[in-house]
Amino acid sequence: MSPLDDSLQKEYFTDFEGRFKARLSHLRAGHIREAYRESQGVHAKHTGIIKVEYHKDLMGLLEEGMLIAIRNYRAFHQRQPRFTLLEIASIWPSHFGLGGLAEQAYYPLQFEIIEQSVVDWESADTSTMMIRLSTIPINYDLILHKDKEPDFIRGFSYPIPAEEAFIVNRDLINLMYNKSIIQELKGVPEKTTAKAKRDPRLGVLKMFEAAKDDIPLYVDFERLVRYHFGVFAFTGGGKSNLLSNIIRRLLYHTEDTKLVIFDVASEYPFLLLDVFSDSKIPSHIILEHKVADPNQLATSIVRPRDYEDDPQITKALKRLYTHDKIGYLTRETRDVTYTFGRILRELDDLADQSAGRPTYVNAINLIEQQITQYLTQEGHNEEEPVDQAFVTFLDMTAKAAVDQFRVSDRSQLYAWATTRSQAIQIPKISKAASQPAKQDKQAFTMNSLNQLIEGDNRLICFSIADPSTIRQLVISITSQVLLARKKRFQVKPYILFVFDEAQEFIPQIGGRGISPVERESSYHVEQLLRQGRKYGLGVCIATQRIAHLNTSALQQLHTFFVGTLPRPYDRTVVSSTFLVDQGILEKTLEFGPGEWLLSSYIATGMTNVPIFLRADNVEIEIAEFIEKSSLKSS
């Protein structure tokens, strides 16, 4: 290389103090299927095999996820240092003697060669050993300049076979992933820290961990929220831990972003205990039933084993209780909210069931036509809840239609049409009935919940264990918030709806045994995902069984975090939905709790580049909060 090239190499690449000497052995084309099927997943179009001179320390320094730069053919044409960037997918050492050992060889000879090879790994004998790297292109080119910062060009360029391979160093990685994001964030410290209030990072990159050189990772919070994200991992992978840390950073490092959590596992009152206790962040926890005292509150939430008998937790919960941050649902809130759109979807389901009976279909079409005319004349839209006047109109219209087309009184359509006035109950709240709710500050009706979301509160957690109740709440709240935003053409403040254990809220609609309320919940969350970004409404879904989710909803996510997913089908769904190489996803099987594969089309510094991340541990934040609370009370 020229002197200029040497200076650029030292500035942007690392060889681990002379240990890393490598070249591209070959770039092989991936297997291209004649017909692509979603169940097969996605594989990279090219795989680069890099051969590295053996050094015993290198196996402890190299990490999956590191980036390799190899000069490509465009460098000849443009007469400038231009490199193809590849990501390390797997690392394995190779021994010449072991590689040439045949299974048919004499057994004592096999054992002798194997035993002798153990000594070789401790040596620096590059004639018998080397390290092999399997890499995949990240579809970016790196262009280096002497007098300005490097450029990153989207697209794939064919690297030169046998060309020297370089490891991108810490500073260039930090520039790639973080520079454009940091310019948009506020409060980024010069020295990174895991403390949520002081640093908006999500964690540190796994690469260079062995060298004890932390590289923080930042994301664009506005795009993360507005364009939706998902968190997928098996039990024990740290989904709730990661989510609670993201929530902290959204609250501490954005001006007015609001969060609404639907928590069927009752975990977040503990995981966000320090945030709920923060007087600067207006917040509420809504329970299914009223709790009489802090002790009942303590038993109604889930705590880790180490904190089950900790008296400081009860003291912290007592402060929440006395500061009116705990509420519960009244009976009126639990009632299923019927919207005009729900009635039309019920008719669509009946039409599907009646496909072979023309007269039944004619009756359904007549009812739908009458409902559409009613909506137009009265100025309603599908997201609005029905009123008593409409119920009366529907009851008369449906009965007349089934009579006109002589629908059998034993059919499901007839039963539906003749029971609308009994099935759809519009709550009637008298002054006497509403008086207790006004006196009880803990009681929340649907109207007061909407006011809570639209008010100053920035964090609201619905900690409700009953799936049916919380699904009904999801249907009502999401439809009302989306409708209100549409009417006002409102975008800010952003609201993020978090659905943990998302399979309870957005199951695959076509699945067997799906109840009407599950179907309705899935429809409304999917609608929120499709339309919410235009009105500043974002969605986060977290689950351990991604294969059970509504695939139409999954396709709306622009950012995703993947932990360990042991079931192959779940990994295949991730691969086909988000276009992630199956080989990269296989590495997640080796992840421990808190380790994630992150990729984003919009929220990270590099578009759709797989990033191996170690998230910060929320339990450290909780432990520090409990310790400070203990010192104050003593």
Side-chain angles (χ1 to χ4, degrees), residues 30 58 94 179 243 256 266 284 300 311 339 370 410 557 576 626:
L58 266 180
S94 178
K179 183 180 178 182
L243 265 177
D256 54 4
S266 302
H284 257 85
S300 66
T339 62
Q370 297 287 344
R410 297 181 180 180
L557 305 179
S576 59
I626 293 172

Side-chain angles (χ1 to χ4, degrees), residues 362-489:
N362 290 336
I364 293 170
N365 289 339
L366 177 60
I367 297 172
E368 286 185 340
Q369 182 181 1
Q370 297 287 344
I371 292 174
T372 302
Q373 291 177 358
Y374 181 92
L375 295 180
T376 302
Q377 293 172 359
E378 299 297 327
H380 295 301
N381 59 52
E382 292 186 16
E383 285 80 17
E384 292 183 36
V386 301
D387 53 20
Q388 189 59 54
F390 172 77
V391 174
T392 302
F393 165 81
L394 176 63
D395 184 60
M396 295 174 57
T397 300
K399 288 178 179 177
V402 294
D403 287 341
Q404 178 179 341
F405 289 95
R406 299 181 180 179
V407 174
S408 171
D409 58 5
R410 297 181 180 180
S411 68
Q412 187 173 354
L413 174 59
Y414 186 90
W416 182 91
T418 56
T419 58
R420 292 307 85 199
S421 60
Q422 293 82 25
I424 305 176
Q425 296 294 325
I426 305 299
K428 297 179 180 180
I429 305 176
S430 64
K431 292 184 179 180
S434 61
Q435 191 66 26
K438 292 182 179 179
Q439 293 178 350
D440 189 351
K441 294 181 179 180
Q442 292 184 343
F444 281 88
T445 64
M446 185 52 62
N447 183 51
S448 57
L449 284 180
N450 290 333
Q451 293 176 357
L452 193 68
I453 294 173
E454 295 290 345
D456 295 331
N457 280 270
R458 293 192 62 197
L459 176 61
I460 301 170
C461 177
F462 294 98
S463 185
I464 297 171
D466 179 56
S468 179
T469 300
I470 198 168
R471 287 188 197 113
Q472 292 170 6
L473 204 59
V474 166
I475 294 168
S476 299
I477 289 177
T478 56
S479 60
Q480 291 298 314
V481 172
L482 183 58
L483 176 62
R485 289 273 171 129
K486 286 181 176 180
K487 285 184 174 180
R488 297 195 295 261
F489 298 97

Side-chain angles (χ1 to χ4, degrees), residues 194 201-206 209 238 241-243 245-246 249 561 593-596 612-618:
R201 76 179 198 186
L202 296 189
V204 296
L205 300 179
K206 280 179 59 60
E209 274 191 322
N241 193 307
L242 174 66
L243 265 177
N245 260 320
I246 293 175
R249 282 154 175 83
F561 300 81
E595 296 180 345
W596 299 91
F612 292 102
L613 170 72
R614 184 183 299 280
D616 293 324
N617 188 358
V618 68

Side-chain angles (χ1 to χ4, degrees), residues 96-112:
F96 181 80
L98 294 176
L101 190 60
E103 286 293 326
Q104 297 80 14
Y106 184 48
Y107 291 159
L109 177 61
Q110 289 191 45
F111 281 107
E112 184 177 352

Side-chain angles (χ1 to χ4, degrees), residues 93-371:
S94 178
H95 190 285
F96 181 80
L98 294 176
L101 190 60
E103 286 293 326
Q104 297 80 14
Y106 184 48
Y107 291 159
L109 177 61
Q110 289 191 45
F111 281 107
E112 184 177 352
I113 293 174
I114 292 172
E115 289 174 1
Q116 289 179 356
S117 69
V118 175
V119 180
D120 293 338
W121 298 118
E122 294 289 336
S123 70
D125 186 1
T126 57
S127 63
T128 58
M129 295 170 294
M130 68 176 173
I131 299 173
R132 297 173 185 262
L133 308 179
S134 176
T135 64
I136 63 171
I138 66 170
N139 296 321
Y140 273 94
D141 275 8
L142 166 67
I143 301 178
L144 300 181
H145 307 280
K146 185 177 181 181
D147 54 351
K148 65 176 184 178
E149 289 185 344
D151 292 323
F152 302 99
I153 308 299
R154 182 80 170 159
F156 173 74
S157 299
Y158 205 96
I160 302 170
E163 185 60 79
E164 189 172 3
F166 303 96
I167 294 181
V168 177
N169 68 14
R170 179 202 185 281
D171 293 335
L172 185 53
I173 290 290
N174 193 31
L175 178 70
M176 289 172 60
Y177 290 149
N178 292 324
K179 183 180 178 182
S180 61
I181 305 297
I182 289 176
Q183 291 173 347
E184 303 295 329
L185 290 174
K186 297 179 181 179
V188 178
E190 292 185 5
K191 186 176 181 180
T192 186
T193 174
K195 295 185 181 300
K197 286 186 177 181
R198 293 168 51 188
D199 196 340
R201 76 179 198 186
L202 296 189
V204 296
L205 300 179
K206 280 179 59 60
M207 66 179 81
F208 299 108
E209 274 191 322
K212 298 182 179 180
D213 198 359
D214 288 346
I215 305 174
L217 181 73
Y218 301 96
V219 297
D220 186 317
F221 287 134
E222 178 180 341
R223 293 179 176 180
L224 182 72
V225 170
R226 287 193 68 177
Y227 292 90
H228 320 308
F229 65 99
V231 180
F232 313 119
F234 197 59
T235 301
K239 296 187 303 296
S240 301
N241 193 307
L242 174 66
L243 265 177
S244 59
N245 260 320
I246 293 175
I247 290 169
R248 277 179 174 77
R249 282 154 175 83
L250 285 170
L251 291 170
Y252 292 142
H253 298 283
T254 62
E255 292 183 359
D256 54 4
T257 301
K258 298 182 177 184
L259 292 107
V260 178
I261 306 171
F262 294 98
D263 177 23
V264 73
S266 302
E267 294 179 305
Y268 288 89
F270 173 81
L271 292 172
L272 296 170
L273 185 58
D274 54 327
V275 181
F276 284 115
S277 301
D278 192 336
S279 60
K280 296 180 180 179
I281 299 179
S283 58
H284 257 85
I285 299 172
I286 307 298
L287 305 175
E288 185 177 357
H289 301 288
K290 183 176 182 178
V291 291
D293 53 53
N295 292 325
Q296 283 190 4
L297 176 61
T299 59
S300 66
I301 66 173
V302 175
R303 292 180 284 178
R305 184 182 304 172
D306 294 341
Y307 294 97
E308 286 181 351
D309 299 320
D310 193 330
Q312 293 302 323
I313 302 297
T314 304
K315 290 181 181 179
L317 292 172
K318 183 177 180 180
R319 286 194 292 273
L320 298 183
Y321 188 86
T322 55
H323 285 80
D324 294 329
K325 289 198 171 187
I326 308 298
Y328 70 97
L329 303 179
T330 62
R331 175 55 55 185
E332 181 251 321
T333 315
R334 301 164 192 268
D335 293 334
V336 178
T337 300
Y338 267 87
T339 62
F340 295 105
R342 176 174 177 175
I343 301 297
L344 292 171
R345 286 189 293 278
E346 287 180 354
L347 285 169
D348 289 340
D349 290 340
L350 290 169
D352 292 339
Q353 299 169 15
S354 306
R357 299 184 176 184
T359 56
Y360 287 24
V361 174
N362 290 336
I364 293 170
N365 289 339
L366 177 60
I367 297 172
E368 286 185 340
Q369 182 181 1
Q370 297 287 344
I371 292 174

